[in-house]
Each structure stands twice: as structure tokens, then as C-alpha cells.
Amino acid sequence: MDLWPLIDLETPWCVYVVATLRIADHIAAGNQQIEKLAAAAGADRDSLSRVLRHLVSKGLFEEPAPGAFALNETARPLLEEPVRLGLDLEGIGGRMAHAWGTLLSAVRTGRPAYHEVFGRGFWEDLDAHPEVAASFDALMGPGHGVPDSEVLLDPADWNSVRTVVDVGGGTGSLLAEILRARPAVRGILVDLPRTVARSGEVFQAAGVADRAIAVPQSFFDPLPGGGDLYLLKNLLGDWPDSEAKAILRRCAEAAHPAGRVVVLGGVTLAEAASPELLMLVLVGGKNRTLAEFRDLAREAGLEVSKVGRQPSGRVVVECLEMKR
């Protein structure tokens, strides 16, 4: 294998730039000539032309005539909102891209070094920049499509569920789908104030606003008690072991004595977890094997009761309070 294609930074940065400038959208709107395209994007004609010609050489976009650019099948995903969010250098995409410069420090120390670039840790940086936080919430929620509401492995178990507590549930997109599918269930969304502030429109659009409440708080603080199901989707993988264990312990405390804790994402059934290096550089998080998760759950007072997959293929791990 040739080493040089593996270290090419030129092409990825060109992709980020054209995504940020919404070049695919401008072309789709009829601005194919480089003069019109540069004007629509607010870019320098010559510089943009050079970037686009590089991408054409790599198979992204076409140049059917000199100075005229067109979309091809490879470029069409740039019109999709999740792709825009993930590649926009002026939003969360820029934070994720620039964070790779801290990988050396993260490997040396075992801790995220995001603050070396942005002056704050990842979560603190989102608090300080609401517009970036909004793009992050959009990418994590509606930006990923309609969530899979089948979060329990045995559908019959829903008969004993009256209240679902979605811990770290962002703007509530998953909770809204759960409540829409089950009219007898009520929901509690727990996340930071800046995030749950945007949940009202999500619940309203789903027609479940009368059965959902938002609790603006950290999930490291005591959680609302008395729920039948405490849900953790794509949350534990955002944190190192010590913090992940603390979150699980809060869930165990709140679920006592008969509630269950369900973990979606962040646990793999494979013998080795995927590297997830982006989570390493952003927040120090990681995926865990089932064996690693079992150990973490036991330390938090929980035992794994069921393991399986959602219809969508996502791994589901159900936990109950450990017997004493």
C-alpha cells in the first residue's frame, strides 16, 4: 500500500471548504459557471476554481466545460442536511475537524486535549457558543433521521412502563418518537438547559407535548426518580470510564427499586470495540465491549439482564439493579 494517499490532508480540507460554502447547493440552484458560483458563495473566483478542479480530479464534482462545474453522484450527498452539519467549518463540523490537531496530546496523556485548540473543554465550549451547540444538537438529533422507538428487546415489557426518563436525550427527538408510538406512556427529558430549551418544538411537532416534560440539569446530578425506564442513547460513549460509571450510578439510584436502565449505542458485541478516535479527541469517550460494560455497570450497582439489537441493528443492553 502507498503511504502518501493515507496522509493526504489536501482533499479532506477541500471537501470541508466546499461544504461550508454550500457549493453543491449553489450549483443545484443553477450557478454552474465559476463567476456566478464564486459570487453566490462569496468566494474568490480563482481560488474556488482551483479547489473545485482538485476535487474533480478526485471524482467529486464534474467540469463538463472549462469553468463550469456540475454535481455528480458523489457530490449529491453534500445537499443533505446531516452532511452539511458534519462538514460545516463554521459550526460543529469545524470543531470536529480542528480537534484532530490534538490527537498527539490525547495519545500521550489518555485524556482529551480539545482545550489546546479552543481554550475550553468540548462541553464548556458548546456552552460558550450557542450557535455551535445548536448545530451539534441538530446533528445528534433530527439530523440523523427518525429515531428507532423500539428500545426494549421484548415488546411485552412495555406493559409495565408508564414513565420513560431519557437521560442526556438532547432535544428529545427519540423520546418524542417513543411517546408517539405509545399513547399511554409519559416522558421526562433530562439534559442541559441550553439543549432542552429546544425540546418544546420537537414535542409539539410530534403531538406529545401534553405527555412530556423537560428537566434542565446535568445528568451527573441526582436524576428524577420513580421512572420505569431510564434510557441512555449515545451517551456513555461520550465519556471516559469514571464519568460513564457516575452516570450509570445516577440511573441506578433513580431507577430503584424496580426500574430498568437501557443503553443504546456505545457497547459492541464484537470481541474488540471500534477505535472511535473522534470521541477520543473531542471528549475522551470510547466504545466498550459487552464484557467491559458489564464490569462498569456492576461498579455502578447494575447488572446486565438482556442484550440484543433493535430492528435498526443498534445494540441494546438492558440493566436492572443488582440483587443485594
Side-chain angles (χ1 to χ4, degrees), residues 237-255:
D238 289 348
W239 299 94
D241 286 343
S242 58
E243 287 88 347
K245 181 167 61 177
I247 295 169
L248 287 171
R249 185 174 292 118
R250 287 301 190 193
C251 290
E253 294 168 355

Side-chain angles (χ1 to χ4, degrees), residues 297-321:
R298 288 192 191 102
E299 293 176 20
L302 295 168
E303 59 183 355
V304 174
S305 57
K306 295 179 183 178
V307 180
R309 293 185 184 274
Q310 287 179 300
S312 60
R314 185 186 299 273
V315 174
V316 179
V317 182
E318 298 185 18
C319 302
L320 299 173
E321 186 177 20

Side-chain angles (χ1 to χ4, degrees), residues 153 232-239 241 244 248 261-276 279 285-297 302 304-310 313-319:
L153 295 171
L232 301 171
K233 180 190 175 185
N234 294 342
L235 180 60
L236 296 183
D238 289 348
W239 299 94
D241 286 343
L248 287 171
V261 178
V262 174
V263 175
L264 302 173
V267 180
T268 178
L269 303 184
E271 292 184 2
S274 60
E276 288 296 337
M279 300 314 297
K286 62 179 181 179
N287 281 340
R288 296 169 177 89
T289 65
L290 181 58
E292 291 170 335
F293 176 79
R294 284 185 191 274
D295 291 341
L296 200 66
L302 295 168
V304 174
S305 57
K306 295 179 183 178
V307 180
R309 293 185 184 274
Q310 287 179 300
R314 185 186 299 273
V315 174
V316 179
V317 182
E318 298 185 18
C319 302

Side-chain angles (χ1 to χ4, degrees), residues 24 43 61 87 99 102 117 122 135 160 166 177 181 190 213-214 216 245 250 261 269 283 286 306 308 311 318 322:
F61 298 106
L87 296 177
T102 70
V117 174
F122 180 75
S135 67
S160 63
D166 192 353
E177 290 303 314
V190 178
I213 63 171
K245 181 167 61 177
R250 287 301 190 193
V261 178
L269 303 184
V283 291
K286 62 179 181 179
K306 295 179 183 178
E318 298 185 18
M322 290 183 65

Side-chain angles (χ1 to χ4, degrees), residues 90-123:
E90 295 176 335
I92 189 61
R95 293 304 202 265
M96 293 189 295
H98 288 288
W100 286 112
T102 70
L103 180 59
L104 178 59
S105 292
V107 171
R108 280 177 167 164
T109 66
R111 302 292 297 180
Y114 181 94
H115 61 279
E116 291 183 358
V117 174
F118 298 105
R120 302 177 178 88
F122 180 75
W123 305 112

Side-chain angles (χ1 to χ4, degrees), residues 88-258:
D88 188 346
L89 290 170
E90 295 176 335
I92 189 61
R95 293 304 202 265
M96 293 189 295
H98 288 288
W100 286 112
T102 70
L103 180 59
L104 178 59
S105 292
V107 171
R108 280 177 167 164
T109 66
R111 302 292 297 180
Y114 181 94
H115 61 279
E116 291 183 358
V117 174
F118 298 105
R120 302 177 178 88
F122 180 75
W123 305 112
E124 293 77 15
D125 186 42
L126 294 189
D127 286 337
H129 297 90
E131 71 287 353
V132 177
S135 67
F136 173 73
D137 291 337
L139 181 62
M140 294 297 103
H144 277 183
V146 178
D148 189 343
S149 63
E150 296 299 327
V151 299
L152 289 178
L153 295 171
D154 184 353
D157 288 341
W158 281 107
N159 295 331
S160 63
V161 176
R162 293 294 174 267
T163 302
V164 175
V165 182
D166 192 353
V167 181
T171 58
S173 56
L174 173 57
L175 183 59
E177 290 303 314
I178 291 172
L179 299 186
R180 179 156 57 179
R182 296 166 184 85
V185 175
R186 303 185 68 83
I188 301 174
L189 175 67
V190 178
D191 213 317
L192 296 174
R194 63 165 174 77
T195 301
V196 299
R198 291 187 280 274
S199 65
E201 59 193 63
V202 175
F203 294 142
Q204 195 69 41
V208 300
D210 60 328
R211 293 183 286 123
I213 63 171
V215 178
Q217 67 161 80
S218 167
F219 34 71
F220 292 107
D221 295 332
L223 298 171
D228 305 299
L229 170 58
Y230 287 79
L231 188 60
L232 301 171
K233 180 190 175 185
N234 294 342
L235 180 60
L236 296 183
D238 289 348
W239 299 94
D241 286 343
S242 58
E243 287 88 347
K245 181 167 61 177
I247 295 169
L248 287 171
R249 185 174 292 118
R250 287 301 190 193
C251 290
E253 294 168 355
H256 175 80

